[in-house]
Amino acid sequence: MSPEFLSNDEVIQQARRNMAQPAWDYLVGGSESETTMRRNRLGFDSLAFRPRVLVDVSNIDLTTTLLDHNLRMPVILAPVGGLIRFNPDGGIAAAQAASEFGTLQAVSQVAGHRPADIAAATSDPKVFQLYVHGDWEWIAAALDDVKSAGFRGLCLTVDSARSSRRERPMIHGSSQPRGSSPFDGPDQAALTWDTMDRIRDYANLPFYLKGIATAEDAKLAVEHGVDVIWVSNHGGRQLDQGQSTIEMLPKIVEAVGGKAQIVLDGGVVRGADVVKAIALGADAVAIGKLQGWGLGAGGKEGLLKTLEILEDEVLRVMALLGVPSMDRLDPTYVTEGQPVTQPHEMSAWVNMPEDRIL
Ligand SMILES: Cc1cc2nc3c(=O)[nH]c(=O)nc-3n(C[C@H](O)[C@H](O)[C@H](O)COP(=O)(O)O)c2cc1C
């Protein structure tokens, strides 16, 4: 393991060297044409900064809070399934990296470990992300486990009524056989706002609703008492041909009107992306693929280094933009800009061999 990475493109290249093709395809592939995934990048690339000068930026404060979690910078770990496929210590390593760095981990129900083991990996509070793969009895038992393991928040993912067509693993023969995915059972598909209310009430934990992609649903989520609205299109892994998340953010922020906090994910790989999302009204962003690349490159140390590089980027952007703290960012710091690259999951780096690694 080399913690000597200078840039996160080196992290990605190391992750590729370490990872077998099926795990790699699972990590980097989106659904169908991967248009949603590419648009997530295009959305960030279509925003330009409007820097202010002669502002004292000799001390920059990146800290922020999400509900009662103190974050070293407004970047958290998105729930990612199959983490053990990227590194044998997977979700445990992610928990340790989050703790050492000073951020929050959302733990996927399908991370590949017993949730209680990840919860016990560090003493920091964590959020559990639930998929519904059973009837109410199944849900209640899952929530009982979540509570007794000590999770301090519940995240319900609602953009996955069915499994999607992810064609990279299909072509390489590593996707699940047809019909065997728990997502293609009736339970996840039958979720409604009523079920969500019931789950939230039973759990009685700070509640995150993940997969909100319209102002209409954001408004409903507020009416239903959701604490954190998680703007996400699942990194372009579920519905293809969707809008980028950063593009949907301003209307969602307006609809929420400060009545809930907002997390955004989808295409966040650079400090500039973090700053743009916070300027447009997110309280924090989450990383999915970048987290997987960090773990794939070097387990806990790899992910820690990935976060440190990201933090260095955020700090430099803030200084050059003339903003001394995250709470001073607002929409006036960004404007429309012409993208200059063809977007894809690695297009934020200029040093990628042959444009990107397959
Ligand atoms: C390999 C992988 C597995 C994922 N598994 C889950 C999951 O189990 N639950 C969930 O809510 N989202 C899951 N996601 C979606 C992420 O939580 C997040 O929404 C997405 O990765 C953000 O986009 P990004 O990868 O461009 O950062 C997964 C994403 C990846 C890359």
Side-chain angles (χ1 to χ4, degrees), residues 61-76:
D61 180 8
L62 299 187
T63 60
T64 187
T65 55
L66 181 64
L67 301 182
D68 59 351
H69 303 284
N70 295 320
L71 308 178
R72 170 163 150 187
M73 68 172 168
V75 177
I76 65 172

Side-chain angles (χ1 to χ4, degrees), residues 26 78-79 81 108 110 129 131 157 210 232 234-235 237 265-267 288-289:
Y26 170 66
S108 165
V110 291
Q129 177 263 320
Y131 285 127
T157 297
K210 179 169 181 283
S232 178
H234 220 107
R237 301 164 70 84
D265 71 26
K289 281 186 284 296

Side-chain angles (χ1 to χ4, degrees), residues 19 29 87 93 157 164 166 170 183 185 199 219 266 269 278 290 310 317 348:
M19 286 167 65
N87 177 273
T157 297
S164 59
R166 301 202 190 140
M170 277 182 189
F183 291 97
I199 291 172
K219 194 161 173 284
V269 289
I278 304 303
L290 192 60
L310 194 61
V317 171

Side-chain angles (χ1 to χ4, degrees), residues 266-337:
V268 176
V269 289
R270 282 280 194 182
D273 308 330
V274 178
V275 174
K276 287 173 182 176
I278 304 303
L280 290 178
D283 294 287
V285 300
I287 52 169
K289 281 186 284 296
L290 192 60
Q291 179 188 161
W293 282 320
L295 285 175
K300 181 197 102 177
E301 296 299 332
L303 179 52
L304 197 53
K305 188 70 191 173
T306 300
L307 288 165
E308 286 167 1
I309 291 170
L310 194 61
E311 180 185 42
D312 184 58
E313 292 176 358
V314 176
L315 268 173
R316 287 170 201 263
V317 171
M318 293 288 280
L320 296 171
L321 198 56
V323 190
S325 60
M326 300 313 297
D327 58 1
R328 301 268 291 272
L329 282 167
D330 66 46
T332 63
Y333 289 97
V334 292
T335 187
E336 281 175 29

Side-chain angles (χ1 to χ4, degrees), residues 144-330:
D144 291 343
D145 287 349
V146 167
K147 292 186 75 150
S148 63
F151 283 95
R152 290 265 298 277
L154 180 70
C155 170
L156 182 68
T157 297
V158 289
D159 57 13
S160 302
R162 282 206 57 154
S163 65
S164 59
R165 285 179 61 88
R166 301 202 190 140
E167 296 186 355
R168 294 199 214 198
M170 277 182 189
I171 304 281
H172 288 118
S174 57
S175 65
Q176 288 181 308
R178 205 176 292 265
S180 73
S181 168
F183 291 97
D184 294 332
D187 308 300
Q188 191 69 21
L191 277 180
T192 63
W193 290 98
D194 287 344
T195 342
M196 187 217 80
D197 284 340
R198 199 171 171 200
I199 291 172
R200 192 206 50 211
D201 291 348
Y202 187 88
N204 195 24
L205 287 168
F207 191 77
Y208 302 62
L209 191 62
K210 179 169 181 283
I212 295 298
T214 59
E216 293 90 320
D217 280 345
K219 194 161 173 284
L220 274 172
V222 168
E223 286 164 14
H224 282 254
V226 167
D227 300 298
V228 175
I229 290 171
W230 195 314
V231 178
S232 178
N233 52 27
H234 220 107
R237 301 164 70 84
Q238 288 300 119
L239 180 67
D240 195 24
Q241 301 292 334
Q243 215 182 6
S244 75
T245 50
I246 193 73
E247 223 177 336
M248 46 180 96
L249 181 64
K251 286 213 168 86
I252 291 179
V253 169
E254 197 186 318
V256 170
K259 296 193 188 98
Q261 285 200 286
I262 297 178
V263 170
L264 173 139
D265 71 26
V268 176
V269 289
R270 282 280 194 182
D273 308 330
V274 178
V275 174
K276 287 173 182 176
I278 304 303
L280 290 178
D283 294 287
V285 300
I287 52 169
K289 281 186 284 296
L290 192 60
Q291 179 188 161
W293 282 320
L295 285 175
K300 181 197 102 177
E301 296 299 332
L303 179 52
L304 197 53
K305 188 70 191 173
T306 300
L307 288 165
E308 286 167 1
I309 291 170
L310 194 61
E311 180 185 42
D312 184 58
E313 292 176 358
V314 176
L315 268 173
R316 287 170 201 263
V317 171
M318 293 288 280
L320 296 171
L321 198 56
V323 190
S325 60
M326 300 313 297
D327 58 1
R328 301 268 291 272
L329 282 167
D330 66 46

Side-chain angles (χ1 to χ4, degrees), residues 85-99:
R85 298 177 67 180
F86 314 146
N87 177 273
D89 297 328
I92 308 286
Q96 291 165 340
S99 172

